[in-house]
Amino acid sequence: MTTNTAAAPDRVPGSSRYRDRFPLELGGKLQRRTLVVLSTATILGGLGFGASASVGALLLAEVSGNDAISGLAAAMSNAGAAAAGIPLARIAARRGRRTAVVLGSSVAMLGALLAIGGAAISVWWVLALGIGILGVASAVQLLSRFAATDLALPKNRARDLSLVVWSITVGAVIGPNLMGPGAVVGGWIGVTPLAGVFVFTFFAQLAAVCVNFFGLRPDPLLTARLLQAEAEKSSDVRPETTSEVAASRSAKILAIVIIGMAQAIMVGLMAMTPLHLKHHGGSDALVGVTLSLHIAGMYALSPVFGILAGKIGRLPVIVGGWAILLVAIYFAFISGDNNGYVQIAMTLVGIGWSAVTVAGAALLTDLTTLGERPKWQGRADTFMSASGAAAGVLAGIVFAMSDFSILALVALALLTLGVIASMYPKLRVARQH
């Protein structure tokens, strides 16, 4: 484990080339430049992914002629992200973050092409497979947020991570509005109008590939290893440069559970919100506004939670997130035919999710050493995406057999598991940062 972490400086790819060009130090100009590159690429990748996510379910229903098939869109997307989490993390550990995110976005481009092809030949399972492969773009976004912490000072990790998370907002908000232009593009290339959105997805992923390929140099993870190797050779070492927290395996697992439970609560409630609103007379416009409020809650306040996690600690922010989610679940439980309560619930679900996942990701980073960090971050991303996929399927079953209030009780059970995990004493190591 320590071999990779303390690799000799001359073995770090690209280190000599960029030593004179960039100031290789934690929290310096290179870190600020890295944040700009990661945020820009995340906006582009999120733009395309947000556009396709908004029409995936509709397009599956159209191509298959079966509304029940539409539920596969979210499940396949989350499954694709889950399948890519650990492989991308392994690539990052061996070759650096840049190689991993560029490869991931390239695979997502292939998914977009496959989705267009599936729609063109009217074969729903090909379309679903394309959506699943496109889900790798979500794994790239998750990996990018961790890449933002590689060169960050420990006290700034949560803040820098949250800035990349916040950049997802742009794609999430603009993406669904590309349905109109996508219909025009679909007509140009001779496919169903909804499939035209995936053309934007393809080119957005291509742009993200270019930004990361040319901009993410030197690689943040490889540079961090270089810095650690040089610091270990020096007799004058700043404590914040080399301090790494030794944490038990159970602490790391519970940090991952915390992130996964927040994801499961969010996806489970969000997945059934459109149907719940429709069943109680809600219009398409109401559904759109509700989902927009939810998405705004997920990302708009992420920098606030990142800053708070740096100032008051990771666990207090996580606990605050659980409290917000508890209030959200309460409003979901009592909502009935009150669409206003549903909107309050989904907005709070987004805010609570943001608090828990931003602080939870920073917590996991604190609990891992530089050498093992990519491996555990990959596990966290995989578990997070898998939790979302499982919650989406479970929510559909529960909602079909009961109603939204019972689904809220299931979310409460998941929240209880998350709260219990947060009470583990050894997680308090994060307060050191």
Side-chain angles (χ1 to χ4, degrees), residues 41-205:
T42 298
I43 288 173
L44 291 168
L47 180 66
F49 184 69
S52 61
S54 64
V55 302
L58 297 174
L59 186 57
L60 268 176
E62 178 183 307
V63 172
S64 67
N66 186 348
D67 287 345
I69 297 295
S70 65
L72 280 178
M76 289 296 293
S77 181
N78 277 276
I86 290 178
L88 288 180
R90 288 177 177 173
I91 292 171
R94 296 174 183 174
R95 303 293 299 276
R97 303 284 193 187
R98 172 174 165 266
T99 300
V101 294
V102 167
L103 178 61
S105 294
S106 299
V107 172
M109 289 170 57
L110 297 178
L113 290 177
L114 188 60
I116 295 171
I121 63 176
S122 297
V123 179
W124 70 264
W125 63 265
V126 175
L127 170 61
L129 180 60
I131 293 173
I133 296 174
L134 182 56
V136 177
S138 180
V140 171
Q141 290 180 338
L142 296 176
L143 180 63
S144 295
R145 83 195 197 283
F146 280 129
T149 68
D150 290 331
L151 292 172
L153 291 170
K155 64 180 181 180
N156 294 334
R157 282 174 182 160
R159 182 201 66 186
D160 291 356
L161 179 151
S162 69
L163 291 175
V164 174
V165 173
W166 181 86
S167 65
I168 299 175
T169 309
V170 178
V173 172
I174 297 178
N177 295 311
L178 293 176
M179 292 177 66
V184 175
V185 174
W188 289 347
I189 63 176
V191 298
T192 181
L194 288 174
V197 172
F198 287 93
V199 176
F200 290 109
T201 299
F202 174 84
F203 285 104
Q205 294 299 322

Side-chain angles (χ1 to χ4, degrees), residues 125-396:
W125 63 265
V126 175
L127 170 61
L129 180 60
I131 293 173
I133 296 174
L134 182 56
V136 177
S138 180
V140 171
Q141 290 180 338
L142 296 176
L143 180 63
S144 295
R145 83 195 197 283
F146 280 129
T149 68
D150 290 331
L151 292 172
L153 291 170
K155 64 180 181 180
N156 294 334
R157 282 174 182 160
R159 182 201 66 186
D160 291 356
L161 179 151
S162 69
L163 291 175
V164 174
V165 173
W166 181 86
S167 65
I168 299 175
T169 309
V170 178
V173 172
I174 297 178
N177 295 311
L178 293 176
M179 292 177 66
V184 175
V185 174
W188 289 347
I189 63 176
V191 298
T192 181
L194 288 174
V197 172
F198 287 93
V199 176
F200 290 109
T201 299
F202 174 84
F203 285 104
Q205 294 299 322
L206 176 60
V209 167
C210 293
V211 169
N212 279 326
F213 182 80
F214 292 107
L216 210 57
R217 299 184 180 187
D219 185 275
L221 180 59
L222 301 183
T223 302
R225 290 175 178 172
L226 168 67
L227 286 170
Q228 186 175 67
E230 292 182 337
E232 291 176 352
K233 290 183 178 180
S234 173
S235 57
D236 183 18
V237 179
R238 293 183 301 173
E240 67 269 21
T241 302
T242 59
S243 62
E244 290 188 337
V245 177
S248 66
R249 180 182 179 87
S250 57
K252 299 165 191 171
I253 291 175
L254 288 175
I256 292 175
V257 169
I258 289 171
I259 297 171
M261 290 305 99
Q263 179 76 358
I265 293 169
M266 185 274 291
V267 174
L269 289 174
M270 181 190 70
M272 293 299 108
T273 293
L275 282 177
H276 176 67
L277 290 173
K278 287 286 189 179
H279 288 175
H280 290 86
S283 63
D284 290 340
L286 177 67
V287 172
V289 170
T290 302
L291 293 181
S292 294
L293 289 172
H294 171 68
I295 292 171
M298 288 176 65
Y299 300 117
L301 296 180
S302 57
V304 174
F305 295 126
I307 293 171
L308 284 175
K311 290 185 177 296
I312 67 176
R314 308 340 185 191
L315 284 181
V317 175
I318 290 172
V319 171
W322 292 135
I324 295 171
L325 285 170
L326 180 61
V327 176
I329 291 171
Y330 169 75
F331 275 101
F333 179 75
I334 67 170
S335 62
D337 59 358
N338 190 321
N339 294 331
Y341 282 176
V342 176
Q343 291 183 322
I344 293 173
M346 293 313 299
T347 302
L348 291 177
V349 164
I351 295 173
W353 173 90
S354 180
V356 175
T357 55
V358 166
L363 172 64
L364 179 65
T365 301
D366 293 340
L367 294 171
T368 52
T369 60
L370 184 58
E372 65 179 358
R373 197 160 290 157
K375 176 181 69 176
W376 283 97
Q377 290 170 342
R379 291 172 176 174
D381 290 346
T382 294
F383 185 73
M384 181 178 182
S385 298
S387 297
V393 173
L394 178 62

